[in-house]
């Protein structure tokens, strides 16, 4: 059976060597986050910090820091999840092997939340100021909850089956918040938005519970890309191997997660206040913007409560492990969720949403002499229409018929396959002024940017080169041409100083130069960067720089670029402007003094020697 509560999980981890304790006092302002980043990089165990400055509560780091630990934590429920997803993807499987239906039955029972009369989470009360206050990056607007479980229900259809359990960051102090207020930042395309919209339409404040801690399956459920109408509480019970316990609360119309460690209760007010900045998972700060405010009316916690936290930043981080875990268990559902799609990969090191790779079928016109994108375009529209894939900025699709062995998880091989086959007069399709990831500052404005569907199919068209050989004569202001990988070049461009939504005449001149270069077909992709050496140093740098610093519509140029019936096309090479723009958010950097301190803690004799 799964864990009843977080304390059960920690006891189990500690008995198996997956948890260590640190009893030296640690500062939650920058120091604790810097330690967590190092624990993750080192593949360290989970760590319980028993003395945290400014709070009576211990804080838990790196709980989901390794794939092995995730598998260990969910060993009681993972088979049930995998079995159910395989059956959902192929219902005929149960007809062919009916004994599997019996094996699924216990897991299905665990999906049904249960009502309990007592709630350990309501055992004690405290002030909002007593809670741990984690500040992760130097320019953060204040301390944040980084693993909050935000529970709401549809005001017109109350009850668990109309609920949403999501993970939306919570700013605890700073800016203009009163002592009994917190900022609730929920991004575009999130379930809580539907509930909040209904409440505002009724002229009411939306009741909200923010839980922290509890069975670890709740955390994974809160970030699962479940279809609207599917309860996260049901999935948490399935994954955790134990039914989710709900209890009534006198202070709220909403039920509480009985076995959570903390519960912050209140109402979303019908007004906004500035929230942020916050060092986010793209590797940059999300800047200060107006977001909803939660009026806090009660703070409860269980006896012996533990405050789990995570730290995000340029990937990979701990949330990358959770993302890979979710991808692994949802693989069987991809063809069912997206017709004509075999495999998808939201590339973590590129910030997840900026770059989505997909393998699909190309079966619409088998009678044509040469295969070209037809069905792939339908699949791309589907990917951009539902679930979290709708936030993708660059969507690259290949036809599985062209290379049956190709996998989207092998990013270099996938990119090479695309570059060998791309026809830039046909394969690029832009969606302008579309909805975009709230955290992405490359587009037209907050929540708004462009998308690029790049779908290529058919026979190989060119051979890619790994050496420049006859280098082109670059225009003034450009230098430092580097090979990133076969077929891809990086070049330094002049410092960007233009306003948002403006194309750069210097890049147009660069495209004209490449149009006459004899080797241009050997390098069909050119990236303009501030530091081409950094960009070309490794694949992770290239992906991060290219796709987090460019907007498809504004930053795409190409040899002989032109419009034909409103369709933009070009010849090779395609040029992407991945310079840092004047309106971009700043990248994340640690405080040097804090860095020295946490490195000293890991030195011989330090409290964290041997941890990282």
């Amino acid at each position: 059976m799964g864990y009843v509560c977080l304390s059960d999980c920690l006891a189990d981890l500690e008995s198996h060597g997956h948890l260590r304790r640190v009893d030296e006092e640690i500062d939650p302002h920058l120091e604790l986050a810097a330690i967590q980043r190092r624990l993750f990089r080192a593949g360290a165990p989970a760590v319980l910090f028993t003395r945290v400055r400014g709070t009576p509560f211990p804080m838990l780091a790196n709980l989901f820091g390794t794939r092995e630990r995730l598998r260990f934590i969910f060993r009681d429920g993972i088979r049930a999840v995998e079995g159910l997803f395989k059956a959902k993807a192929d219902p005929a499987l149960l007809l062919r092997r009916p004994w599997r239906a019996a094996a699924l039955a216990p897991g299905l029972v665990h999906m049904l939340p249960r009502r309990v009369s007592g709630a350990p989470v309501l055992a004690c009360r405290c002030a909002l100021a007593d809670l741990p206050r984690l500040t992760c990056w130097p320019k953060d607007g204040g301390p944040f909850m980084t693993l909050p479980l935000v529970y709401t229900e549809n005001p017109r259809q109350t009850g668990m089956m109309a609920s949403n359990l999501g993970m939306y960051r919570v700013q605890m102090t700073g800016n203009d918040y009163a002592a009994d207020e917190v900022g609730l930042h929920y991004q575009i395309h999130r379930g809580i938005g539907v509930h909040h919209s209904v409440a505002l339409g009724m002229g009411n404040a939306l009741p909200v519970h923010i839980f922290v801690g509890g069975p670890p399956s709740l955390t994974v459920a809160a970030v699962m890309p479940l279809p609207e109408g599917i309860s996260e509480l049901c999935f948490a019970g399935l994954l955790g191997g134990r039914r989710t316990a709900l209890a009534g609360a006198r202070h709220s119309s909403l039920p509480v997660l009985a076995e959570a460690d903390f519960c912050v209760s209140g109402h979303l007010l019908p007004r906004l206040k500035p929230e942020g900045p916050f060092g986010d998972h793209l590797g940059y700060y999300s800047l200060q913007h107006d977001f909803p405010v939660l009026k806090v009316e009660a703070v409860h916690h269980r006896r012996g409560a533990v405050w789990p936290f995570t730290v995000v930043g340029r990937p990979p981080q701990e949330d990358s492990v959770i993302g890979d875990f979710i991808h692994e268990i949802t693989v069987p559902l991809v063809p069912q969720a997206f017709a004509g799609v075999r495999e998808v990969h939201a590339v973590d090191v590129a910030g997840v949403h900026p770059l989505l790779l997909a393998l699909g079928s190309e079966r619409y016109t088998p009678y044509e002499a040469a295969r070209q994108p037809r069905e792939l375009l339908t699949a791309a529209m589907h990917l951009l229409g539902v679930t979290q894939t709708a936030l993708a900025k660059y969507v690259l699709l290949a036809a599985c018929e062209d290379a049956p062995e190709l996998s989207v998880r092998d990013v270099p091989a996938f990119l090479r396959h695309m570059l060998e086959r791309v026809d830039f007069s046909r394969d690029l399709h832009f969606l302008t002024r579309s909805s975009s990831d709230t955290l992405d500052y490359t587009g037209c404005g907050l929540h708004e940017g462009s998308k690029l569907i790049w779908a290529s199919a058919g026979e190989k068209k060119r051979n890619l080169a790994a050496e420049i050989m006859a280098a082109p004569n670059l225009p003034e202001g450009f230098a430092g041409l580097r090979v990133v990988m076969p077929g891809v070049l990086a070049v330094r461009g002049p410092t960007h100083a233009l306003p948002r939504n403006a194309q750069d005449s210097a890049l147009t001149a660069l495209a004209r130069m490449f149009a006459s270069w004899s080797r241009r077909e050997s390098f069909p992709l050119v990236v303009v960067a501030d530091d081409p050496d950094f960009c070309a140093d490794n694949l992770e740098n290239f992906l991060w720089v290219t796709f987090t610093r460019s907007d498809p519509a504004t930053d795409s140029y190409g040899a002989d670029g032109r419009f034909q019936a409103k369709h933009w096309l070009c010849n090779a090479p395609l040029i992407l402007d991945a310079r840092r723009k004047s309106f971009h958010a700043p990248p994340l950097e640690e405080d040097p003094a804090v860095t020295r301190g946490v490195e000293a803690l890991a030195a011989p004799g330090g409290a964290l020697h041997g941890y990282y």
Side-chain angles (χ1 to χ4, degrees):
M1 296 292 288
Y3 304 118
V4 173
C5 58
L6 181 58
S7 295
D8 280 359
C9 174
L10 299 188
D12 188 33
L13 290 175
E14 191 165 28
S15 68
H16 286 85
H18 295 300
L19 173 74
R20 298 173 72 175
R21 295 172 182 261
V22 172
D23 296 324
E24 181 168 321
E25 185 179 70
I26 301 294
D27 193 342
H29 182 78
L30 301 182
E31 186 177 50
L32 202 50
I35 291 170
Q36 157 61 20
R37 290 190 287 270
R38 286 157 177 77
L39 292 172
F40 171 75
R41 288 198 297 267
V47 177
L48 186 66
F49 295 91
T50 60
R51 294 178 57 213
V52 179
R53 191 171 302 167
T55 181
F57 301 105
M59 295 181 70
L60 175 66
N62 210 37
L63 177 62
F64 305 111
T66 69
R67 179 180 180 276
E68 292 72 24
R69 188 150 60 251
L70 266 173
R71 279 275 173 180
F72 178 84
I73 290 171
F74 299 121
R75 64 192 183 276
D76 289 333
I78 188 65
R79 288 186 179 178
V81 172
E82 292 173 338
L84 182 64
F85 283 0
K86 286 178 182 177
K88 183 173 176 58
D90 182 12
L93 178 66
L94 298 183
L95 296 177
R96 297 193 302 269
R97 300 173 184 175
W99 58 89
R100 290 200 172 184
L104 290 176
L108 296 177
V109 171
H110 293 150
M111 293 182 70
L112 300 174
R114 61 190 180 96
R115 290 278 180 172
V116 295
S117 57
V121 71
L122 300 179
C124 308
R125 293 192 67 158
C126 69
L128 186 63
D130 294 328
L131 300 178
R133 298 193 169 186
L134 178 77
T135 303
C136 299
W137 294 98
K139 296 180 182 178
D140 281 358
F144 285 81
M145 301 182 193
T146 58
L147 286 178
L149 308 172
V150 182
Y151 182 87
T152 58
E153 293 181 358
N154 189 321
R156 294 193 185 279
Q157 187 185 353
T158 58
M160 181 272 298
M161 295 311 294
S163 68
N164 178 74
L165 186 72
M167 189 167 291
Y168 317 116
R169 74 178 189 235
V170 176
Q171 184 171 346
M172 302 176 71
T173 65
N175 298 335
D176 298 326
Y177 297 123
D180 60 349
E181 293 177 342
V182 297
L184 184 54
H185 176 289
Y186 65 81
Q187 295 161 241
I188 196 169
H189 206 284
R190 298 297 192 268
I192 188 176
V194 177
H195 295 173
H196 195 195
S197 177
V198 172
L200 291 174
M202 298 169 64
N204 297 332
L206 180 69
V208 176
H209 285 323
I210 301 173
F211 301 102
V212 177
S217 59
L218 290 168
T219 298
V220 176
V223 297
M224 276 289 292
L226 296 172
E228 190 171 337
I230 301 297
S231 170
E232 291 83 7
L233 303 184
C234 293
F235 179 80
L238 180 68
L239 178 62
R242 182 180 288 269
R243 297 170 66 186
T244 301
L246 299 175
R250 293 181 179 178
H251 68 283
S252 174
S253 60
L254 298 178
V256 297
L257 297 174
E259 297 293 347
D261 285 63
F262 297 87
C263 177
V264 178
S265 304
H267 284 79
L268 270 187
L269 302 176
R271 66 172 184 264
L272 308 176
K273 282 191 175 184
E275 185 268 357
F278 178 73
D280 230 311
H281 73 262
L282 268 71
Y284 308 89
Y285 287 96
S286 55
L287 303 179
Q288 187 180 91
H289 299 284
D290 288 346
F291 277 94
V293 180
L294 183 78
K295 174 82 169 180
V296 176
E297 291 145 5
V299 181
H300 291 86
H301 65 90
R302 68 186 302 135
R303 293 184 175 85
V306 171
W307 185 276
F309 72 93
T310 192
V311 179
V312 294
R314 180 186 165 183
Q317 300 288 345
E318 185 180 12
D319 58 324
S320 306
V321 179
I322 300 175
D324 282 344
F325 178 73
I326 290 173
H327 170 82
E328 183 181 342
I329 62 178
T330 56
V331 163
L333 296 180
V334 169
Q336 185 181 52
F338 307 108
V341 177
R342 302 286 187 87
E343 192 180 5
V344 296
H345 180 201
V347 181
D348 180 72
V349 295
V352 182
H353 295 316
L355 179 60
L356 180 71
L357 309 182
L359 269 174
S361 301
E362 192 49 70
R363 304 164 295 184
Y364 280 4
T365 53
Y367 49 82
E368 290 186 323
R371 185 181 297 116
Q372 57 183 302
R374 309 281 193 200
E375 186 178 2
L376 290 179
L377 298 179
T378 301
M381 294 300 185
H382 200 173
L383 287 166
L384 290 175
V386 294
T387 75
Q388 295 303 306
T389 60
L391 292 176
K393 183 166 63 172
Y394 289 88
V395 183
L396 278 59
L397 299 97
C400 58
E401 292 85 357
D402 291 331
E405 76 288 351
L406 188 64
S407 171
V408 293
R409 305 298 289 184
D410 187 344
V411 177
F414 187 91
L415 293 178
R416 181 164 189 155
H417 174 93
M418 296 291 290
L419 291 170
E420 288 174 339
R421 287 162 176 78
V422 63
D423 178 348
F424 288 125
S425 70
R426 178 195 69 190
D427 294 348
L428 304 181
H429 307 271
F430 292 88
L431 281 72
T432 60
R433 293 196 173 273
S434 176
S435 60
S436 68
D437 186 358
T438 303
L439 309 180
D440 193 319
Y441 284 86
T442 62
C444 309
L446 188 67
H447 308 309
E448 187 178 359
S450 65
K451 300 177 185 295
L452 173 61
I453 296 169
W454 171 355
S456 294
E459 298 295 324
K460 178 178 174 180
K461 292 179 171 61
R462 62 181 62 83
N463 293 316
L464 308 180
E467 296 181 22
I468 298 175
M469 294 170 54
N473 294 318
L474 296 172
E476 184 178 354
F478 295 89
L481 204 60
R482 300 287 184 270
V483 175
V484 177
M485 57 181 287
V488 181
L489 295 176
V491 61
R492 179 182 297 107
T495 301
H496 186 276
L498 295 172
R500 192 183 293 273
N501 300 328
Q503 286 208 299
D504 193 338
S505 60
L507 272 290
T508 303
L510 181 69
R512 283 197 301 267
M513 181 282 301
F514 273 113
S516 61
W517 186 37
S518 62
R519 298 274 291 164
R520 64 186 181 86
E521 284 290 340
S522 300
F523 292 98
L525 180 61
V526 176
V527 175
V528 180
D530 300 298
D531 186 348
D533 291 329
F534 176 83
C535 185
D537 185 61
N538 55 62
L539 179 68
E540 289 74 20
N541 285 357
F542 161 69
L543 294 171
W544 183 62
V545 168
T546 301
F547 297 104
T548 65
R549 297 183 181 178
S550 64
D551 171 72
T554 305
D555 295 325
S556 293
Y557 303 79
D560 305 311
R562 58 204 184 276
F563 284 93
Q564 187 177 81
K566 298 186 176 65
H567 174 78
W568 186 83
L569 62 151
C570 67
N571 299 324
L574 174 70
I575 300 171
L576 295 179
D577 182 4
R579 295 172 295 171
R580 282 187 58 196
K581 313 301 191 297
S582 56
F583 48 84
H584 283 185
L588 303 179
E589 296 177 347
E590 288 189 349
D591 182 314
V594 173
T595 298
R596 289 192 294 271
V598 299
E599 295 296 349
L601 287 172
L608 291 168
H609 178 58
Y611 283 57
Y612 52 82

